[in-house]
Amino acid sequence: MEMGEKMNKEALVVCSDKSTGIGITVWDLETGEQLLHIPTCAAAPHGLFCLRNQFIVASQSNRHGSFGGGSIFIWPLNKPQSPLRSYTLEAMGPISCTKDGLYIAGGAPSGNAYLWEVTSGRLLRTWHAHHKSLKCMVFSDDDSLLIFGCTDGIISVWPMISLVDVEDSGSSPSLLYYSSEHRSSITGLVTMSAGARSIFISSSLDGTCKVWELVSGRHLQTLVYPMSVTAIALHPLEQHLFSGSVDGNIFVNVLDIGAVEDCFVTTEDQAFVLKVHNESITALTFSGFHLISASEDFTFCLWDTINRVVLRRFNNIKGAVTNMVVIKQSSLFPISNHQRVTHQFQVSLLQKYPQPSNPGKGMATFLSFPASHSEPPPTHFHGNNLLDHLISARRTNTCYAAKEIGEKHRRSNMGNKHDKACNGDKQAFAMSFAGYDAVPVAMQPV
């Protein structure tokens, strides 16, 4: 497939964390043209994502690292209109969503974490995840685990079955495990599969990337670099890891995890290097099989990684790009009446404070994990569904089928998304593509 045939199906969304005046820009990767500009936005690092290929979501950076109240803005991609503004109890840093788009998680400089249900806007859980700032996060591929990386190098893994237990929302959720192997701030987290095992990889300013078995938390491998690692990205085929460094170089390692039994170290001598940027790498992502790198030198580049050449170089003269998200260009097109019916997805105002649950109306009871963390993490698991494994490993005497309960919870919430008892705050503002026709004021087509 030619580059043009591949790239014309995708666009790149970029923004900075430095100034709201830079805003969000959507670029055509094939032509290099700007497709759309959203003014007045500065998202924290790891604070930008695309929700269900329909919305751009950004956590708004507070000036000078303020711990005061923050906000999360949500823009519909296919219709220029004012964003849905949700004001949070404190400033949000990294944010992420589950693959199905049903939940949004956020992390704060205080170490507090938040979990919202998207369709109702309900704040399901707020808890103190760590005593240091949360820097990045990622959900596991099957949405059963939430992984946090912190500024002191700590990585913590939380079971979603515990976080969405609405009857136990007043107590602290159960931590599956944590790691303190890194010696400095975590800068990136990616997940992958290696045979029957699920894996995640962390990068750090300590100049290493570490490979972990997701369920057990076992440390499998360490990759060592001569400089601090500031961003990572995994090739779509999951055979190569791309690690951006503080000096502008991008190291490419072949991942050969296989049936690793003992931890081993790989040095930078076993990686090849992509060189074009003059300053620190701020973000890495992929469009198809093409790498995209951003740097503090105010540029971002589209790479042919096989031939190790830059296909296109973009200049962002207003400021360095610190967040990049690849979207489908079709997401920018107005939807037809037929699509309004078949692809309607409701997004509500995210609550600032948790609301009391009412399990008698649309809320299911979940099996929660024991509060004690003295129990060692499970070391064996069969099959690919991490949720099944976690439940079987920590099953109580009642032996509930927690996966089935989780599915009932999801169906009940989707079926009752217009129920006020399920949706929480009566003043919550629901935005739906089927009926929202505000005057375009916030997004500017170029």
Side-chain angles (χ1 to χ4, degrees), residues 88-134:
T88 53
L89 190 61
E90 57 183 321
M92 289 293 107
I95 57 175
S96 186
C97 69
T98 53
K99 308 299 184 295
D100 55 18
L102 295 183
Y103 300 101
I104 290 176
S110 65
N112 290 332
Y114 298 79
L115 183 71
W116 291 273
E117 185 182 55
V118 174
T119 55
S120 69
R122 183 181 180 87
L123 179 57
L124 298 178
R125 173 83 64 172
T126 176
W127 74 103
H128 195 62
H130 194 53
H131 64 279
K132 295 289 187 179
S133 176
L134 303 179

Side-chain angles (χ1 to χ4, degrees), residues 45-300:
H46 303 286
L48 181 77
F49 65 84
C50 184
L51 175 65
R52 293 178 66 97
N53 295 315
Q54 298 177 39
F55 302 88
I56 288 294
V57 184
S59 59
Q60 301 298 294
S61 293
N62 279 24
R63 294 182 179 180
H64 311 299
S66 169
F67 281 74
S71 59
I72 296 176
F73 284 12
I74 304 176
W75 293 267
L77 279 169
N78 64 355
K79 195 173 186 181
Q81 61 192 35
S82 180
L84 187 67
R85 296 175 172 89
S86 298
Y87 295 97
T88 53
L89 190 61
E90 57 183 321
M92 289 293 107
I95 57 175
S96 186
C97 69
T98 53
K99 308 299 184 295
D100 55 18
L102 295 183
Y103 300 101
I104 290 176
S110 65
N112 290 332
Y114 298 79
L115 183 71
W116 291 273
E117 185 182 55
V118 174
T119 55
S120 69
R122 183 181 180 87
L123 179 57
L124 298 178
R125 173 83 64 172
T126 176
W127 74 103
H128 195 62
H130 194 53
H131 64 279
K132 295 289 187 179
S133 176
L134 303 179
K135 300 299 291 184
C136 53
M137 70 175 68
V138 67
F139 285 93
S140 61
D141 289 343
D142 64 354
D143 291 336
S144 66
L145 299 173
L146 176 58
I147 311 166
F148 283 114
C150 305
T151 190
D152 60 353
I154 296 294
I155 296 171
S156 58
V157 181
W158 304 82
M160 280 293 289
I161 192 92
S162 174
L163 299 180
V164 299
D165 184 353
V166 295
E167 283 201 333
D168 193 35
S169 60
S171 61
S172 297
S174 299
L175 174 69
L176 184 62
Y177 62 82
Y178 77 94
S179 166
S180 57
E181 294 287 337
H182 282 293
R183 300 306 178 205
S184 189
S185 180
I186 306 300
T187 57
L189 295 165
V190 296
T191 60
M192 63 174 290
S193 298
R197 295 184 300 179
S198 291
I199 303 295
F200 78 92
I201 304 172
S202 56
S203 63
S204 171
L205 292 180
D206 65 9
T208 68
C209 290
K210 294 182 183 292
V211 183
W212 312 84
E213 194 170 61
L214 181 56
V215 174
S216 68
R218 190 160 66 100
H219 178 209
L220 301 178
Q221 181 180 353
T222 296
L223 309 174
V224 180
Y225 304 94
M227 295 285 181
S228 295
V229 180
T230 53
I232 55 173
L234 188 64
H235 190 278
L237 295 180
E238 299 186 343
Q239 296 175 350
H240 294 85
L241 179 69
F242 293 75
S243 306
S245 65
V246 72
D247 64 353
N249 288 334
I250 302 170
F251 297 91
V252 186
N253 289 88
V254 177
L255 291 175
D256 186 18
I257 299 171
V260 174
E261 296 298 332
D262 298 308
C263 296
F264 64 93
V265 174
T266 302
T267 67
E268 69 274 9
D269 295 335
Q270 296 170 278
F272 67 83
V273 183
L274 303 177
K275 298 182 178 181
V276 72
H277 293 291
N278 299 320
E279 297 187 41
S280 179
I281 302 299
T282 54
L284 295 172
T285 191
F286 271 87
S287 174
F289 295 129
H290 294 89
L291 176 71
I292 308 173
S293 60
S295 168
E296 287 184 354
D297 63 11
F298 287 24
T299 68
F300 54 98

Side-chain angles (χ1 to χ4, degrees), residues 402-422:
K403 181 183 177 184
E404 181 179 353
I405 296 173
E407 290 300 321
K408 290 182 180 179
H409 166 78
R410 178 174 299 180
R411 290 194 297 269
S412 67
N413 280 342
M414 293 301 292
N416 291 279
K417 61 185 178 182
H418 296 301
D419 189 323
K420 290 184 179 179
C422 179

Side-chain angles (χ1 to χ4, degrees), residues 15-16 19-25 37-43 58-61 63 71-75 83 85 318 441-444:
C15 74
S16 173
S19 170
T20 57
I22 299 174
I24 296 174
T25 305
H37 181 68
I38 305 173
T40 319
C41 178
S59 59
Q60 301 298 294
S61 293
R63 294 182 179 180
S71 59
I72 296 176
F73 284 12
I74 304 176
W75 293 267
R85 296 175 172 89
K318 290 185 178 181
V441 293
M443 296 174 69
Q444 302 172 351

Side-chain angles (χ1 to χ4, degrees), residues 292-312:
I292 308 173
S293 60
S295 168
E296 287 184 354
D297 63 11
F298 287 24
T299 68
F300 54 98
C301 298
L302 181 70
W303 291 84
D304 176 349
T305 56
I306 296 177
N307 298 309
R308 307 182 192 181
V309 296
V310 173
L311 299 175
R312 185 175 298 278

Side-chain angles (χ1 to χ4, degrees), residues 316-338:
N316 201 59
I317 58 176
K318 290 185 178 181
V321 169
T322 52
N323 284 294
M324 300 191 298
V325 176
V326 174
I327 65 170
K328 300 294 183 182
Q329 283 203 27
S330 58
S331 301
L332 301 172
F333 303 150
I335 57 178
S336 66
N337 289 333
H338 173 69

